[in-house]
């Protein structure tokens, strides 16, 4: 993590800084954009720099600085952290960044096999596959075999949050079941996808985890609640009501890990 680059990123929060004031950040961003065929930052010497796509900008920072940020508030929290524990708290969530992907690959795993990386030229191999389970988090994706019996899909695709451009384009022609965190960001991620058909996976017993404080993530809820939209697709109404009823959120892997843990005790 380069604090100088993060400080330069903060300059974009309330102004359009000149290139010389964000030079180091721009140099890293230009390379990242070229390598991944992206355009989220307009930056030329002697001119002001502009963010063209904030979500891609924060994804770029997360990847290149080995942190997890989704807003300028997140960057401020990281820079203001005074202890190692605070840095862990603000620079990432409870999960390990197991797989980092650019817009050059789609990460797919077939049940019973290891995950594979598909570049654009390789996606023809998956053309005949219509149904996919889309998984938000890396840890859950790599351990999906433990939960696979709860899903009818045989092919799993890793999203890494909002997913890269190639993955989003690939899923436009597919029928996709989304296994996401049961939180505000999960709903927003779901709404952002265009697919041939899509479904948000909601286990029948999910309210048990909202009502049990052992499984709540109140801090994450507080961090996300400003991004709660007034309207969502009808199928998300149940989740929205649970979030508002209990003022908390639940992470995706918990709902099935608990079942597995109980079965192992028997």
């Amino acid at each position: 993590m380069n604090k100088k680059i993060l400080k330069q990123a903060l300059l974009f929060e309330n102004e359009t800084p000149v290139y010389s004031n964000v030079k180091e950040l721009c140099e890293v961003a230009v390379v990242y954009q070229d390598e991944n065929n992206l355009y989220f930052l307009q930056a030329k010497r002697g001119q002001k720099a502009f963010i063209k796509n904030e979500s891609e900008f924060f994804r770029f920072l997360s990847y290149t600085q080995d942190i997890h940020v989704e807003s300028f508030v997140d960057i401020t929290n990281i820079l203001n952290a005074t202890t190692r524990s605070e840095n862990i708290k603000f620079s990432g969530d409870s999960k390990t960044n197991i797989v980092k992907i650019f817009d050059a690959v789609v990460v797919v795993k077939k049940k019973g096999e290891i995950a594979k990386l598909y570049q654009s030229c390789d996606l023809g191999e998956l053309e005949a596959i219509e149904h996919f389970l889309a998984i938000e988090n890396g840890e859950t994706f790599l351990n999906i075999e433990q939960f696979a019996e709860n899903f009818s899909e045989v092919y799993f695709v890793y999203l890494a949050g909002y997913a890269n451009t190639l993955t989003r384009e690939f899923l436009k022609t597919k029928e996709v079941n989304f296994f996401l965190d049961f939180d505000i960001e999960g709903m927003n991620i779901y709404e952002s996808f265009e697919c041939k058909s899509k479904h948000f996976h909601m286990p029948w017993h999910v309210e048990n985890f909202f009502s049990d404080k052992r499984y709540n993530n109140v801090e994450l809820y507080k961090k996300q609640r400003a991004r709660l939209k007034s309207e969502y697709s009808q199928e998300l109404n149940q989740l929205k009501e649970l979030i508002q009823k209990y003022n908390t959120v639940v992470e995706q892997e918990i709902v099935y890990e608990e079942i597995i843990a109980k079965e192992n005790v028997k």
Side-chain angles (χ1 to χ4, degrees):
M1 178 177 68
N2 186 325
K3 288 189 175 182
K4 184 174 184 179
I5 287 179
L6 294 184
K7 289 178 180 178
Q8 291 181 2
L10 273 184
L11 295 179
F12 288 93
E13 183 174 15
N14 299 310
E15 60 180 287
T16 51
V18 295
Y19 180 91
S20 59
N21 289 339
V22 289
K23 180 176 180 291
E24 288 79 4
L25 182 150
C26 290
E27 289 175 345
V28 176
V30 167
V31 173
Y32 179 92
Q33 289 182 143
D34 289 345
E35 289 179 345
N36 299 284
N37 194 28
L38 295 172
Y39 182 58
F40 56 84
L41 184 67
Q42 178 178 313
K44 293 183 179 180
R45 286 183 173 83
Q47 299 181 16
K48 288 188 174 182
F50 298 88
I51 294 176
K52 310 293 287 187
N53 185 318
E54 275 201 359
S55 62
E56 291 291 353
F57 178 72
F58 291 126
R59 184 185 298 171
F60 148 73
L61 289 174
S62 296
Y63 185 89
T64 59
Q65 303 307 305
D66 198 23
I67 56 177
H68 178 78
V69 293
E70 298 177 352
S71 67
F72 291 110
V73 172
D74 292 343
I75 298 173
T76 300
N77 286 336
I78 292 172
L79 291 174
N80 290 341
T82 57
T83 65
R84 181 176 181 274
S85 60
E86 285 180 336
N87 265 310
I88 293 173
K89 175 182 178 182
F90 293 126
S91 64
D93 55 23
S94 61
K95 306 172 186 65
T96 303
N97 290 325
I98 300 174
V99 181
K100 291 183 175 180
I101 55 177
F102 282 148
D103 276 78
V105 295
V106 178
V107 184
V108 174
K109 172 177 165 55
K110 183 180 180 181
K111 186 176 180 180
E113 299 181 2
I114 63 172
K116 297 181 181 180
L117 306 182
Y118 292 84
Q119 294 182 318
S120 180
C121 59
D122 304 320
L123 292 177
E125 299 175 26
L126 301 172
E127 185 175 355
I129 311 302
E130 295 184 357
H131 303 276
F132 285 85
L133 178 70
I135 303 171
E136 178 181 354
N137 301 325
E139 185 176 349
T140 305
F141 175 77
L142 293 180
N143 292 292
I144 191 61
E145 296 288 344
Q146 299 179 40
F147 320 131
E149 64 182 30
N150 297 285
F151 305 96
S152 61
E153 292 80 12
V154 178
Y155 284 85
F156 315 115
V157 58
Y158 176 45
L159 299 182
Y162 279 86
N164 60 41
T165 301
L166 187 61
T167 300
R168 299 177 76 87
E169 287 297 317
F170 171 70
L171 292 179
K172 280 185 176 180
T173 61
K174 306 300 180 181
E175 298 180 21
V176 187
N177 186 15
F178 285 83
F179 183 30
L180 311 174
D181 283 332
F182 304 101
D183 61 9
I184 295 167
E185 210 59 46
M187 292 194 295
N188 292 341
I189 289 171
Y190 179 77
E191 295 284 69
S192 72
F193 273 87
E194 296 179 17
C195 305
K196 181 179 179 180
S197 68
K198 64 179 182 177
H199 170 71
F200 190 98
H201 179 72
M202 281 281 287
W204 64 269
H205 63 310
V206 70
E207 185 168 3
N208 296 342
F209 297 92
F210 276 90
S211 61
D212 191 329
K213 292 184 178 180
R214 291 178 299 170
Y215 307 112
N216 291 179
N217 193 331
V218 178
E219 289 302 315
L220 183 59
Y221 163 72
K222 291 179 179 178
K223 181 179 177 181
Q224 294 183 352
R225 61 186 172 187
R227 297 196 290 276
L228 181 66
K229 300 176 182 178
S230 58
E231 293 185 6
Y232 287 93
S233 301
Q234 185 174 355
E235 66 177 309
L236 295 179
N237 286 342
Q238 179 189 358
L239 177 55
K240 181 181 178 183
E241 290 171 1
L242 288 174
I243 291 172
Q244 293 179 316
K245 177 180 179 180
Y246 294 102
N247 294 318
T248 191
V249 296
V250 174
E251 294 171 280
Q252 64 177 179
E253 64 273 12
I254 291 176
V255 297
Y256 291 125
E257 283 182 349
E258 181 66 12
I259 293 176
I260 293 172
K262 289 180 179 179
E263 290 178 347
N264 290 337
V265 171
K266 294 179 181 179

